[in-house]
mmCIF file of all heavy atoms in Angstrom:
data_model
loop_
_atom_site.group_PDB
_atom_site.id
_atom_site.type_symbol
_atom_site.label_atom_id
_atom_site.label_comp_id
_atom_site.label_asym_id
_atom_site.label_seq_id
_atom_site.Cartn_x
_atom_site.Cartn_y
_atom_site.Cartn_z
ATOM 1 N N ARG A 1175 -28.713 -63.032 -67.875
ATOM 2 C CA ARG A 1175 -29.434 -63.838 -66.894
ATOM 3 C C ARG A 1175 -29.007 -63.613 -65.463
ATOM 4 O O ARG A 1175 -29.294 -64.417 -64.595
ATOM 5 C CB ARG A 1175 -29.297 -65.342 -67.270
ATOM 6 C CG ARG A 1175 -29.966 -65.772 -68.587
ATOM 7 C CD ARG A 1175 -29.828 -67.209 -68.773
ATOM 8 N NE ARG A 1175 -30.387 -67.948 -67.740
ATOM 9 C CZ ARG A 1175 -30.198 -69.324 -67.472
ATOM 10 N NH1 ARG A 1175 -29.441 -69.961 -68.331
ATOM 11 N NH2 ARG A 1175 -30.664 -69.947 -66.476
ATOM 12 N N GLY A 1176 -28.226 -62.540 -65.240
ATOM 13 C CA GLY A 1176 -27.805 -62.234 -63.914
ATOM 14 C C GLY A 1176 -26.629 -62.964 -63.403
ATOM 15 O O GLY A 1176 -26.283 -62.850 -62.206
ATOM 16 N N PHE A 1177 -25.914 -63.708 -64.287
ATOM 17 C CA PHE A 1177 -24.755 -64.514 -63.766
ATOM 18 C C PHE A 1177 -23.679 -63.564 -63.289
ATOM 19 O O PHE A 1177 -23.020 -63.791 -62.305
ATOM 20 C CB PHE A 1177 -24.189 -65.344 -64.922
ATOM 21 C CG PHE A 1177 -22.826 -65.970 -64.570
ATOM 22 C CD1 PHE A 1177 -22.724 -66.980 -63.646
ATOM 23 C CD2 PHE A 1177 -21.686 -65.429 -65.196
ATOM 24 C CE1 PHE A 1177 -21.446 -67.446 -63.273
ATOM 25 C CE2 PHE A 1177 -20.458 -65.947 -64.873
ATOM 26 C CZ PHE A 1177 -20.317 -66.952 -63.943
ATOM 27 N N GLY A 1178 -23.333 -62.474 -64.040
ATOM 28 C CA GLY A 1178 -22.222 -61.630 -63.665
ATOM 29 C C GLY A 1178 -22.363 -60.768 -62.449
ATOM 30 O O GLY A 1178 -21.456 -60.099 -62.061
ATOM 31 N N ASN A 1179 -23.596 -60.673 -61.874
ATOM 32 C CA ASN A 1179 -23.765 -59.778 -60.686
ATOM 33 C C ASN A 1179 -23.019 -60.200 -59.529
ATOM 34 O O ASN A 1179 -22.916 -61.338 -59.141
ATOM 35 C CB ASN A 1179 -25.289 -59.777 -60.362
ATOM 36 C CG ASN A 1179 -26.173 -59.152 -61.430
ATOM 37 O OD1 ASN A 1179 -25.670 -58.444 -62.283
ATOM 38 N ND2 ASN A 1179 -27.471 -59.414 -61.353
ATOM 39 N N ASN A 1180 -22.427 -59.169 -58.854
ATOM 40 C CA ASN A 1180 -21.929 -59.290 -57.522
ATOM 41 C C ASN A 1180 -23.104 -59.049 -56.616
ATOM 42 O O ASN A 1180 -24.274 -58.963 -57.027
ATOM 43 C CB ASN A 1180 -20.828 -58.300 -57.240
ATOM 44 C CG ASN A 1180 -19.539 -58.648 -57.982
ATOM 45 O OD1 ASN A 1180 -19.213 -59.858 -58.100
ATOM 46 N ND2 ASN A 1180 -18.841 -57.675 -58.537
ATOM 47 N N ASP A 1181 -22.859 -58.915 -55.308
ATOM 48 C CA ASP A 1181 -23.961 -58.625 -54.379
ATOM 49 C C ASP A 1181 -24.523 -57.236 -54.746
ATOM 50 O O ASP A 1181 -23.795 -56.211 -54.650
ATOM 51 C CB ASP A 1181 -23.381 -58.606 -52.945
ATOM 52 C CG ASP A 1181 -24.438 -58.194 -51.899
ATOM 53 O OD1 ASP A 1181 -25.651 -58.233 -52.252
ATOM 54 O OD2 ASP A 1181 -24.068 -57.879 -50.760
ATOM 55 N N PRO A 1182 -25.756 -57.185 -55.137
ATOM 56 C CA PRO A 1182 -26.315 -55.878 -55.596
ATOM 57 C C PRO A 1182 -26.709 -54.986 -54.447
ATOM 58 O O PRO A 1182 -27.165 -53.817 -54.694
ATOM 59 C CB PRO A 1182 -27.494 -56.339 -56.451
ATOM 60 C CG PRO A 1182 -27.988 -57.535 -55.818
ATOM 61 C CD PRO A 1182 -26.692 -58.219 -55.315
ATOM 62 N N GLY A 1183 -26.642 -55.409 -53.211
ATOM 63 C CA GLY A 1183 -27.001 -54.582 -52.126
ATOM 64 C C GLY A 1183 -28.381 -54.706 -51.602
ATOM 65 O O GLY A 1183 -29.287 -55.409 -52.204
ATOM 66 N N ARG A 1184 -28.755 -54.029 -50.579
ATOM 67 C CA ARG A 1184 -29.982 -54.169 -49.856
ATOM 68 C C ARG A 1184 -31.222 -53.908 -50.761
ATOM 69 O O ARG A 1184 -32.258 -54.514 -50.608
ATOM 70 C CB ARG A 1184 -30.014 -53.208 -48.667
ATOM 71 C CG ARG A 1184 -31.227 -53.341 -47.772
ATOM 72 C CD ARG A 1184 -31.289 -54.706 -47.106
ATOM 73 N NE ARG A 1184 -32.276 -54.780 -46.004
ATOM 74 C CZ ARG A 1184 -32.949 -55.851 -45.685
ATOM 75 N NH1 ARG A 1184 -32.758 -56.980 -46.320
ATOM 76 N NH2 ARG A 1184 -33.771 -55.788 -44.671
ATOM 77 N N ASN A 1185 -31.137 -52.916 -51.663
ATOM 78 C CA ASN A 1185 -32.204 -52.585 -52.454
ATOM 79 C C ASN A 1185 -32.684 -53.760 -53.443
ATOM 80 O O ASN A 1185 -33.841 -53.659 -53.847
ATOM 81 C CB ASN A 1185 -31.847 -51.330 -53.391
ATOM 82 C CG ASN A 1185 -31.707 -50.140 -52.536
ATOM 83 O OD1 ASN A 1185 -32.234 -50.011 -51.412
ATOM 84 N ND2 ASN A 1185 -30.949 -49.134 -53.058
ATOM 85 N N ARG A 1186 -31.837 -54.697 -53.661
ATOM 86 C CA ARG A 1186 -32.308 -55.762 -54.558
ATOM 87 C C ARG A 1186 -32.703 -56.996 -53.839
ATOM 88 O O ARG A 1186 -33.077 -58.003 -54.466
ATOM 89 C CB ARG A 1186 -31.046 -56.112 -55.500
ATOM 90 C CG ARG A 1186 -30.736 -54.986 -56.475
ATOM 91 C CD ARG A 1186 -31.779 -54.871 -57.596
ATOM 92 N NE ARG A 1186 -31.791 -56.044 -58.456
ATOM 93 C CZ ARG A 1186 -31.008 -56.281 -59.484
ATOM 94 N NH1 ARG A 1186 -30.064 -55.448 -59.757
ATOM 95 N NH2 ARG A 1186 -31.090 -57.390 -60.171
#
Side-chain angles (χ1 to χ4, degrees):
R1175 290 185 55 194
F1177 167 74
N1179 291 343
N1180 290 319
D1181 178 16
R1184 185 64 169 150
N1185 291 336
R1186 293 287 295 275

